[in-house]
Amino acid sequence: MAFAHSDPTAHADFTALKVLIAGGFGVGKTTMVESVSEIRPLRTEEDLTVASRGVDHLDGVTTKSTTTVAMDFGRITLRENLALYLFGTPGQDRFWFLWDELATGCLGAVVLADTRRLADCFPAVDYFESRGIPFIVAVNCFDGVRSHSSEAVSRALDLGPDTTVVLCDARDRESGKETLISLLEQLLQQEI
């Protein structure tokens, strides 16, 4: 599949498909949007402050110094008249009120998961399941560590047989593209 880098707005028959990149705090949502986007992504990152110490749990992400406070936005063109618009969601509970707005009109979602903190992706999985929004789970293999298989993660999250689980590296453009392709393949299989 070739990815063009043209101005999609120049085409009258242009179609944009909205996809969410979701998951828990510090799982790599901003990183994935940045690595895949063909445009300079819009980021709403702010520094973590002393005031957030009791609110933002840094277990497993002790070097994290910023957080998304609204959304990330990027774009990847699939062909001349078709692009994916990527919306990265904020990961903390205190910003969940934004999710309904971000999810409006989305085709589907990628739920990023970190197996060191797998429970952090349960709220995102529950969110999409309860709203009937198709999604896949992408296990972000930090530093190339693949400590659990896709099947083990699927069982741990109690996912249905129609929900794809893939292993990825959110920092790697090709891995991110393959993850998005997996989402689109799942959507086509579900005839959406």
Side-chain angles (χ1 to χ4, degrees):
M1 177 179 275
F3 291 85
H5 294 279
S6 62
D7 177 12
T9 60
H11 304 283
D13 61 346
F14 175 73
T15 301
L17 304 174
K18 183 178 183 181
V19 171
L20 296 187
I21 310 297
F25 176 65
V27 76
K29 300 174 297 292
T30 298
T31 300
M32 184 173 183
V33 171
E34 286 179 338
S35 71
V36 172
S37 182
E38 67 194 18
I39 62 171
R40 190 173 122 222
L42 168 70
R43 295 175 31 169
T44 60
E45 292 279 303
E46 292 295 332
D47 291 333
L48 289 172
T49 64
V50 174
S52 72
R53 280 192 189 153
V55 178
D56 298 326
H57 302 286
L58 297 176
D59 301 332
V61 287
T62 55
T63 60
K64 186 168 178 59
S65 62
T66 62
T67 188
T68 300
V69 296
M71 68 173 191
D72 299 307
F73 173 78
R75 182 189 76 208
I76 184 167
T77 302
L78 301 178
R79 58 177 192 245
E80 186 175 294
N81 62 347
L82 178 64
L84 290 181
Y85 284 180
L86 308 172
F87 289 81
T89 64
Q92 302 95 312
D93 294 347
R94 60 191 160 130
F95 297 121
W96 270 68
F97 67 93
L98 296 167
W99 280 48
D100 286 337
E101 200 63 39
L102 290 172
T104 300
C106 79
L107 181 68
V110 172
V111 175
L112 279 177
D114 177 351
T115 57
R116 300 171 299 181
R117 301 175 291 123
L118 194 58
D120 290 356
C121 76
F122 279 118
V125 168
D126 291 343
Y127 180 88
F128 296 117
E129 283 182 341
S130 69
R131 286 160 179 79
I133 297 172
F135 68 95
I136 67 168
V137 173
V139 178
N140 193 2
C141 299
F142 293 93
D143 299 322
V145 176
R146 296 179 180 200
S147 57
H148 302 281
S149 68
S150 298
E151 295 80 15
V153 171
S154 182
R155 281 191 308 276
L157 294 174
D158 194 27
L159 299 173
D162 294 337
T163 302
T164 302
V165 177
V166 298
L167 303 176
C168 74
D169 183 339
R171 301 166 296 185
D172 181 72
R173 180 174 172 78
E174 291 304 313
S175 183
K177 288 192 309 191
E178 289 300 319
T179 299
L180 293 169
I181 289 168
S182 293
L183 172 63
L184 295 175
E185 288 172 345
Q186 177 176 300
L187 293 170
L188 287 172
Q189 288 174 359
Q190 295 174 351
E191 298 179 336
I192 291 181

